[in-house]
């Protein structure tokens, strides 16, 4: 059957209208089909630390949930600022995410005179993945050689020998660094700070005897503590960790000088500001679902991490509160970027 001129004209107009609507729907249509390619999770520290461990724990879960690979990309440097800035400047299409930390989104704004990104305006919070205590630990051989078996022993030695102990951290401005600086301020002791590009390389030097003490995130140190390579003196949280029930808190072990000491860490997923809410919510829901499974939950708890999976709004509020808290800690400790 041959179409009349008018019929052909109506068909062309209809096709044109459909094409226009599809173009106008652009982002909405894209987010409906998201993801159509691999998604990158930027970890702003070197491999081997808690940030990296948690990212690699949830990446396979998200890959299975969405049918596309979620790939961990380690971009270390400047206390997490290098990786965070990469994500802040990335397209807000859902294909670049950040495993942010208390350092990148709670501490660094107060610590660095100039930050290349705004931790609130430049990001869309997705969910808090986990909270963890830090652990004050020494190279086990060094602790035995110096007869340091407790926080009290450590403070006594450090005050009598200022500068003879060095303190490793995952980078200037990280919670690991600040936990140590707060300890130094409250005890009147001095240790030489040695910043690394993540917990992984710092732990290698601590285990190898090239560093003496570290206030590491508990999950990344758990294996070495249980293996006897590191001696855990105390955890930095307000309460003891179920993963190390026999290890006291710094406040418990440190006496009056360390009353009120608390410096825990957290890790969460964020996207560039302006990422479609539908994508943000879908990621949050799948992360929460995976964190609720017995296998993932038990694995994290055994390593000393407390899984979360809260809503984007709850995570945003948490970040705001952490800015206030850590600004006070930075000021009180007198910590500075090396």
């Amino acid at each position: 059957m041959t179409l009349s001129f008018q019929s052909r004209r109506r068909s062309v107009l209809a096709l044109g209208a459909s094409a226009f609507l599809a173009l106008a729907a652009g982002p909405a249509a894209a987010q409906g089909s998201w993801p159509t390619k691999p998604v990158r999770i930027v970890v702003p520290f070197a491999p081997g630390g808690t940030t990296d461990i948690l990212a690699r724990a949830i990446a396979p879960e998200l890959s299975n949930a969405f049918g596309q690979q979620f790939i961990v990309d380690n971009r270390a440097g400047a206390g997490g600022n290098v990786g965070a800035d990469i994500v802040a400047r990335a397209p807000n299409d859902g294909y670049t995410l950040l495993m942010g930390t208390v350092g990148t989104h709670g501490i660094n704004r107060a610590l660095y005179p100039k930050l290349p990104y705004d931790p609130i305006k430049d990001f869309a919070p997705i969910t808090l993945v986990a909270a963890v205590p830090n652990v004050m630990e020494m190279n086990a051989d060094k602790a035995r050689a110096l007869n340091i078996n407790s926080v009290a022993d450590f403070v006594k030695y450090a005050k009598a020998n200022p500068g003879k102990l060095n303190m490793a951290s995952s980078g200037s401005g990280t919670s690991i660094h600040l936990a140590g600086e707060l300890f130094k301020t409250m005890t009147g002791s001095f240790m030489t700070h040695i910043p690394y590009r993540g917990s992984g390389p710092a732990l290698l030097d601590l285990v190898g005897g090239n560093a003496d003490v570290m206030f590491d995130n508990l999950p990344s140190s758990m294996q070495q503590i249980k293996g006897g390579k590191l001696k855990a003196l105390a955890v930095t949280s307000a309460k003891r960790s179920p993963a190390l029930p026999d290890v006291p808190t710094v406040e418990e072990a440190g006496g009056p000088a360390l009353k009120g000491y608390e410096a825990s860490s957290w890790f969460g997923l964020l996207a560039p500001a302006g990422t479609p809410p539908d994508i943000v919510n879908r990621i949050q829901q799948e992360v929460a679902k995976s964190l609720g499974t017995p296998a993932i939950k038990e694995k994290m708890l055994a390593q000393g991490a407390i899984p979360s999976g809260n809503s984007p709004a709850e995570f945003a509020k948490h970040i705001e509160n952490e800015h206030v808290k850590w600004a006070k800690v930075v000021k009180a400790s007198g910590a500075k970027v090396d």
Side-chain angles (χ1 to χ4, degrees):
M1 182 177 68
T2 303
L3 292 174
S4 67
F5 173 79
Q6 290 296 332
S7 296
R8 290 197 301 272
R9 185 171 180 272
R10 282 194 295 268
S11 297
V12 170
L13 289 174
L15 286 171
S18 297
F20 175 80
L21 290 172
L23 287 171
Q31 76 185 61
S33 60
W34 177 94
T36 60
K37 61 182 181 179
V39 177
R40 177 172 60 148
I41 302 177
V42 173
V43 169
F45 297 99
T50 298
T51 318
D52 184 66
I53 290 171
L54 293 176
R56 293 182 189 279
I58 65 168
E61 302 295 316
L62 292 173
S63 297
N64 291 335
F66 291 109
Q68 288 287 346
Q69 288 296 307
F70 279 66
I71 301 167
V72 174
D73 182 11
N74 297 88
R75 296 297 187 96
N81 291 342
V82 171
D85 189 43
I86 288 171
V87 178
R89 297 172 184 274
N92 53 6
D93 54 9
Y95 290 99
T96 304
L97 309 177
L98 174 73
M99 181 60 84
T101 71
V102 63
T104 61
H105 282 74
I107 295 172
N108 290 0
R109 193 181 200 182
L111 189 68
Y112 285 81
K114 292 183 179 180
L115 209 58
Y117 61 91
D118 188 306
I120 293 180
K121 293 181 180 179
D122 291 342
F123 294 88
I126 298 174
T127 187
L128 178 68
V129 174
V132 305
N134 289 9
V135 56
M136 181 183 178
E137 59 196 8
M138 286 190 71
N139 173 282
D141 291 335
K142 187 67 173 280
R144 279 191 292 270
L146 299 178
N147 197 29
I148 295 176
N149 297 300
S150 66
V151 173
D153 291 341
F154 183 93
V155 172
K156 183 179 179 181
Y157 181 88
K159 292 181 76 170
N161 300 275
K164 286 192 176 181
L165 294 174
N166 58 58
M167 179 183 76
S169 84
S170 54
S172 296
T174 61
S175 68
I176 295 170
H177 173 207
L178 264 290
E181 292 294 341
L182 184 59
F183 183 91
K184 287 161 61 175
T185 298
M186 293 179 73
T187 59
S189 58
F190 176 73
M191 298 165 273
T192 302
H193 175 220
I194 304 177
Y196 290 78
R197 293 171 69 86
S199 284
L203 280 172
L204 285 176
D205 265 10
L206 186 64
V207 171
N210 296 318
D212 302 320
V213 64
M214 188 173 174
F215 290 75
D216 191 32
N217 305 139
L218 182 51
S220 48
S221 283
M222 184 65 78
Q223 185 177 350
Q224 301 294 349
I225 291 171
K226 290 187 173 181
K229 298 291 186 181
L230 298 177
K231 181 176 181 60
L233 298 178
V235 291
T236 66
S237 47
K239 296 180 180 180
R240 294 193 182 198
S241 169
L244 291 176
D246 296 329
V247 177
T249 66
V250 170
E251 182 177 20
E252 283 180 312
L258 287 163
K259 183 174 177 57
Y261 180 98
E262 194 270 327
S264 296
S265 301
W266 54 261
F267 307 83
L269 277 179
L270 303 102
T275 298
D278 177 63
I279 293 176
V280 168
N281 290 329
R282 288 173 64 193
I283 296 172
Q284 183 273 327
Q285 289 163 10
E286 292 300 334
V287 171
K289 189 185 298 182
S290 67
L291 292 176
T293 60
I296 297 293
K297 189 174 183 179
E298 290 171 13
K299 183 179 180 180
M300 285 195 175
L301 289 172
Q303 293 179 332
I306 301 171
S308 177
N310 62 2
S311 71
E314 290 169 335
F315 187 29
K317 184 63 177 177
H318 178 75
I319 291 172
E320 291 178 9
N321 292 339
E322 287 291 283
H323 277 299
V324 176
K325 170 187 171 180
W326 285 101
K328 294 177 181 177
V329 173
V330 169
K331 184 177 180 179
S333 69
K336 297 179 181 179
V337 178
D338 296 341

